[in-house]
Amino acid sequence: MSVQEEIQRLRELIRYHNYRYHVLDAPEISDAEYDALFQRLKALEAEHPELITPDSPTQRVGGAVLERFEKVRHPRPILSLANVFSEEELRAWEERNRKLLPDGTPLEYVVEPKIDGLTVVLTYVNGVFTQGATRGDGEVGEDVTANLRTVRQVPLRIPVTGTEPPPARLVVRGEAYMALADFEAFNRRQEERGEKTFANPRNAAAGSLRQLDPTITASRPLRLYTYAIVDADGVEITRQWDVLEYLKRMGFPVADGCELCPDLDAVMKMYRVWESERDTLAYEIDGVVIKINDLRVQDALGYVGKDPRGAVAFKFPARQAATKLLAVGINVGRTGTLNPYAILEPVRLGGVTIKQATLHNFDDIARKDIRVGDTVILQRAGDVIPQVVGPVESLRDGDEQPITPPTHCPVCGEPVYRAEDEVAYYCVNASCPAQLVRKVEHFASRGAMDIVGFGSRLAEQFVEAGLLHDVADFYCLTKEQILSLEGFADKSAENLLAAIEASKNRPLQRLLTALGIRHVGSIVAGILADHFGSIDALMAATEEELQQVPGLGPYTARAVVEFFASPSNRAVIEKLRRAGVRLADVRAEAPAGPQPLAGKTFVITGTLPTMSREEATEYIRAHGGKVTDSVSAKTDYLVVGASPGGTKYNRAVQLGIPMIDEEALRRMAEGG
Ligand code: IVH
């Protein structure tokens, strides 16, 4: 497809989604996806300015007015804001302004959060709320007075504070939005009732405000904050900072954390503060708004199109971007799973350049109909691995190639296998080198056999050199063999041998974790170790016996039996035995004295200050408690560390399960 054609297609697409969003109230894509398309168009136009036409969506702000609400002409145009995305662009904005202003004009700024909601314009006559409108196209909006009356943060009458009477006529501008927790609860409720759910708080707020029946709006958790005066009879305010103060005095909600900054350095500081707090706020913000404090200076600067020069939105790095899917690669996992990943035309997203992203599995690819050659939407939340959300089907030109699951392992060439009830494809060749690298890496990792210093780089090196054919080969390595590898000297070889030797004596739970049996992570390994006490007892167990063990499910039982049924796995166990690796726990005498945690079940989430997950598990067990993997009604306590997992945490909140930190756990265990 030529650039000209792509630009044309993008414009049509953006116009279509504008219509869905602004006119029909039924967006088909998220705002972030829309932004990604818009940014792509802008980038192409920037590269080819000769192709820009006045009707391009980048050249116009706003959308059409809905027919079903009364139209309201705004007393003054309700302007939009230009965006900047970097410090350089911000400084260039100031420079442009300075050139238009008399030399030496002092420039102070007010920095406000840019809450992701929708603009509303509220009119008060003699202190009484008379009209509320949406922005519409900036000149004419929709009358949503009855709906806005239901928003509790909208004052129906300006409260008398002090001696200052409200002006005869006051028009304020603000943002209607939904807080994150409200949004999630609202969406859950909608889902339970089988009603429409929303992609994000912004869509939910917009959909809620544009309801024809105000009782529906009343049942939606809308909120408001205000940030500008559109019109105020007889009120002389010349600074944005005073606007915010005045609005607060008049009883309007103003966002917390607005800041007066003497220069752009201070502005940058505030930007970084907001950015770092972005994920902890009660509401979603997509950037900060920076306004010249002196409103007369703002007025003097005038407009470019519909954007005032005196204020600008400094947007946070996008969490979504559009780019081309060039090819699909396949990673071989430790258990032989063949994991597809996307090889992408490099694109900047959230401050880093992304060339690869996960594609989950082949079912997911088929369900989303992702094809090689597609323009795809990428998503990155926080520091999470980027994912391919899906293709932009309307940008296809017919040359895209469907993606088919592999028939052979890309590394060893053996045919692949797929279990009926699973989505993953497997390479079942036990000696597949790619799997072996992952297995060896896992065996040596912390929480498993903990062979200090042996990471993924060494795993590859040792397997490639033919020194490790299975995990038991660790215990057959000689100093000469290690010294034959690049990067090893006497001392480092000895250190490695010592680390391997030390690993022979790990508790059974660690060994069971290290073997990499499917569905057996450290928690399940602990249950198995507790119940059976030795590898021999575990190997002798039948599937039925395993299923009887509390905390084990049928999949795990089957996986354990299958693992030990394999002759090659049994050979590995025998090799470990001959090498002197501990295969059984020395059962401690039933502990004397009281066991303060007896009968209590714990779940651990997040990073604890002084104990690893495994240590905490052992600690709880040693004091009589039980540790399980997921939160249920049977959980007594959730032990919470730093960066807790959302699922466990939220479930515990829902079920009202008490949460404790490491210190409280220790107090409890020591009988305090
Ligand atoms: S000032 C000329 N301040 O962002 C004044 N806008 O991208 C222009 N927004 O349409 C608006 N928080 O809906 C302003 N503190 C804030 C804002 C804010 C959110 C929204 C508003 C505006 C859009 C511009």
Side-chain angles (χ1 to χ4, degrees):
M1 196 187 312
S2 70
V3 176
Q4 184 154 18
E5 246 178 278
E6 189 178 355
I7 286 183
Q8 206 46 47
R9 298 274 282 275
L10 277 167
R11 284 180 187 158
E12 280 164 20
L13 200 61
I14 289 166
R15 279 191 202 110
Y16 172 72
H17 288 302
N18 262 338
Y19 167 76
R20 301 281 319 179
Y21 186 97
H22 290 290
V23 181
L24 299 187
D25 246 357
E28 288 176 346
I29 59 176
S30 72
D31 290 11
E33 282 174 51
Y34 176 89
D35 278 351
L37 295 175
F38 201 86
Q39 291 308 327
R40 171 108 182 134
L41 176 59
K42 268 178 82 165
L44 290 176
E45 287 183 345
E47 273 173 41
H48 302 276
E50 75 282 5
L51 297 177
I52 298 180
T53 57
D55 66 348
S56 170
T58 61
Q59 305 300 302
R60 183 177 62 107
V61 184
V65 177
L66 288 166
E67 288 301 332
R68 26 188 198 153
F69 288 107
E70 291 297 313
K71 290 180 189 177
V72 177
R73 180 162 292 278
H74 299 301
R76 282 207 284 156
I78 299 300
L79 302 169
S80 184
L81 281 178
N83 295 325
V84 294
F85 293 93
S86 65
E87 182 169 356
E88 291 71 52
E89 286 175 31
L90 179 69
R91 296 208 182 265
W93 167 70
E94 178 176 86
E95 276 319 300
R96 284 196 302 278
N97 287 339
R98 283 213 181 280
K99 285 200 183 106
L100 296 168
L101 293 167
D103 279 354
T105 308
L107 289 177
E108 284 187 321
Y109 299 100
V110 175
V111 177
E112 303 170 11
K114 187 171 181 319
I115 295 192
D116 212 4
L118 71 156
T119 292
V120 289
V121 180
L122 311 170
T123 303
Y124 288 80
V125 175
N126 295 322
V128 177
F129 178 55
T130 55
Q131 189 176 71
T134 62
R135 175 164 178 269
D137 64 1
E139 307 277 339
V140 178
E142 304 104 42
D143 187 333
V144 287
T145 311
N147 288 342
L148 278 169
R149 283 180 66 91
T150 71
V151 177
R152 273 194 302 241
Q153 286 180 305
V154 174
L156 294 180
R157 175 188 280 275
I158 292 176
V160 184
T161 56
T163 52
E164 203 174 12
R169 190 179 148 78
L170 174 67
V171 184
V172 304
R173 174 172 180 176
E175 198 81 354
Y177 70 98
M178 233 182 237
L180 278 167
D182 289 343
F183 165 69
E184 274 154 24
F186 165 61
N187 247 1
R188 259 198 313 276
R189 204 176 70 200
Q190 290 288 99
E191 201 172 333
E192 277 161 22
R193 295 179 180 168
E195 283 176 34
K196 175 180 168 170
T197 58
F198 293 85
N200 52 48
R202 190 192 161 160
N203 285 0
S208 301
L209 196 61
R210 293 207 188 103
Q211 290 290 330
L212 286 171
D213 176 357
T215 61
I216 295 181
T217 308
S219 73
R220 307 279 176 92
L222 281 178
R223 290 169 196 258
L224 169 80
Y225 85 119
T226 57
Y227 48 76
I229 294 176
V230 179
D231 214 359
D233 281 355
V235 180
E236 276 303 311
I237 297 181
T238 56
R239 282 183 298 202
Q240 174 61 16
W241 190 252
D242 296 339
V243 167
L244 299 179
E245 291 300 317
Y246 182 78
L247 287 170
K248 284 187 222 169
R249 283 207 302 283
M250 291 290 123
F252 293 98
V254 170
D256 283 337
C258 296
E259 191 82 20
L260 184 57
C261 295
D263 53 30
L264 284 193
D265 288 341
V267 168
M268 280 311 299
K269 225 185 216 161
M270 281 316 295
Y271 169 81
R272 291 192 193 104
V273 168
W274 280 109
E275 194 191 9
S276 71
E277 286 176 2
R278 181 181 189 183
D279 291 328
T280 64
L281 296 174
Y283 44 80
E284 210 155 79
I285 66 177
D286 60 345
V288 294
V289 181
I290 296 153
K291 301 173 179 175
I292 292 178
N293 191 29
D294 192 327
L295 299 177
R296 290 162 306 188
V297 174
Q298 279 204 36
D299 277 347
L301 281 168
Y303 316 99
V304 207
K306 288 202 171 183
D307 302 333
R309 288 199 178 86
V312 78
F314 192 167
K315 299 276 281 261
F316 292 142
R319 287 172 162 179
Q320 293 202 331
T323 191
K324 276 251 150 57
L325 174 62
L326 302 177
V328 174
I330 294 176
N331 229 316
V332 184
R334 166 167 61 83
T335 54
T337 47
L338 302 179
N339 308 314
Y341 63 94
I343 300 168
L344 304 160
E345 198 175 284
V347 62
R348 302 257 326 150
L349 178 57
V352 296
T353 300
I354 293 187
K355 298 178 199 144
Q356 291 185 356
T358 73
L359 280 166
H360 302 296
N361 57 58
F362 287 96
D363 275 7
D364 198 52
I365 292 174
R367 197 168 44 74
K368 294 177 178 163
D369 188 20
I370 300 170
R371 304 179 190 179
V372 172
D374 266 336
T375 299
V376 290
I377 300 287
L378 280 190
Q379 178 165 281
R380 198 166 163 257
D383 50 4
V384 173
I385 309 160
Q387 306 174 352
V388 174
V389 179
V392 185
E393 288 178 21
S394 26
L395 286 178
R396 283 189 178 149
D397 63 7
D399 289 341
E400 294 77 18
Q401 295 300 317
I403 298 161
T404 47
T407 55
H408 292 82
C409 171
V411 176
C412 71
E414 291 283 308
V416 307
Y417 160 83
R418 186 183 200 192
E420 251 169 56
D421 50 356
E422 287 187 45
V423 287
Y425 288 78
Y426 287 93
C427 168
V428 285
N429 172 11
S431 52
C432 171
Q435 269 180 68
L436 186 55
V437 171
R438 298 277 115 73
K439 275 191 187 136
V440 161
E441 188 184 337
H442 174 74
F443 187 84
S445 66
R446 269 182 78 194
M449 298 303 261
D450 197 7
I451 301 178
V452 179
F454 198 95
S456 62
R457 204 177 47 81
L458 291 190
E460 253 170 53
Q461 194 184 12
F462 276 64
V463 169
E464 221 166 76
L467 296 186
L468 297 176
H469 302 96
D470 59 48
V471 294
D473 276 346
F474 268 115
Y475 303 101
C476 309
L477 287 173
T478 64
K479 191 168 166 190
E480 289 66 45
Q481 284 176 325
I482 299 175
L483 281 172
S484 73
L485 297 176
E486 210 188 302
F488 277 97
D490 236 36
K491 185 81 187 126
S492 48
E494 272 167 24
N495 284 347
L496 179 56
L497 282 171
I500 293 172
E501 190 58 32
S503 76
K504 285 183 178 173
N505 210 24
R506 302 280 179 242
L508 180 59
Q509 180 194 3
R510 301 282 206 95
L511 175 65
L512 292 176
T513 308
L515 289 174
I517 305 165
R518 273 209 288 155
H519 306 303
V520 180
S522 70
I523 300 273
V524 173
I527 296 175
L528 292 172
D530 276 355
H531 192 89
F532 293 98
S534 73
I535 281 260
D536 291 324
L538 178 60
M539 285 204 291
T542 64
E543 196 172 325
E544 291 69 41
E545 281 164 356
L546 280 159
Q547 282 198 32
Q548 300 306 313
V549 178
L552 291 196
Y555 288 106
T556 314
R558 180 139 115 236
V560 171
V561 167
E562 274 175 7
F563 183 88
F564 290 115
S566 144
S568 58
N569 290 336
R570 282 179 166 268
V572 167
I573 304 294
E574 289 319 307
K575 234 161 125 181
L576 291 171
R577 193 194 307 277
R578 282 199 302 277
V581 175
R582 194 171 116 188
L583 300 182
D585 274 342
V586 196
R587 288 259 157 125
E589 293 299 308
Q595 294 244 289
L597 305 184
K600 297 270 180 278
T601 301
F602 295 78
V603 173
I604 307 168
T605 182
T607 313
L608 302 181
T610 75
M611 293 193 258
S612 72
R613 194 66 74 84
E614 291 72 31
E615 284 163 353
T617 306
E618 277 168 27
Y619 180 82
I620 292 170
R621 291 227 180 89
H623 290 86
K626 226 172 90 182
V627 179
T628 64
D629 231 350
S630 57
V631 175
S632 72
K634 291 192 192 129
T635 308
D636 291 293
Y637 296 98
L638 182 66
V639 185
V640 184
S643 315
T647 315
K648 288 179 184 171
Y649 190 88
N650 290 333
R651 187 101 182 99
V653 171
Q654 272 169 19
L655 295 172
I657 288 164
M659 300 188 200
I660 57 172
D661 60 7
E662 183 187 315
E663 208 190 309
L665 171 67
R666 285 185 188 276
R667 272 201 306 274
M668 214 182 260
E670 312 300 337

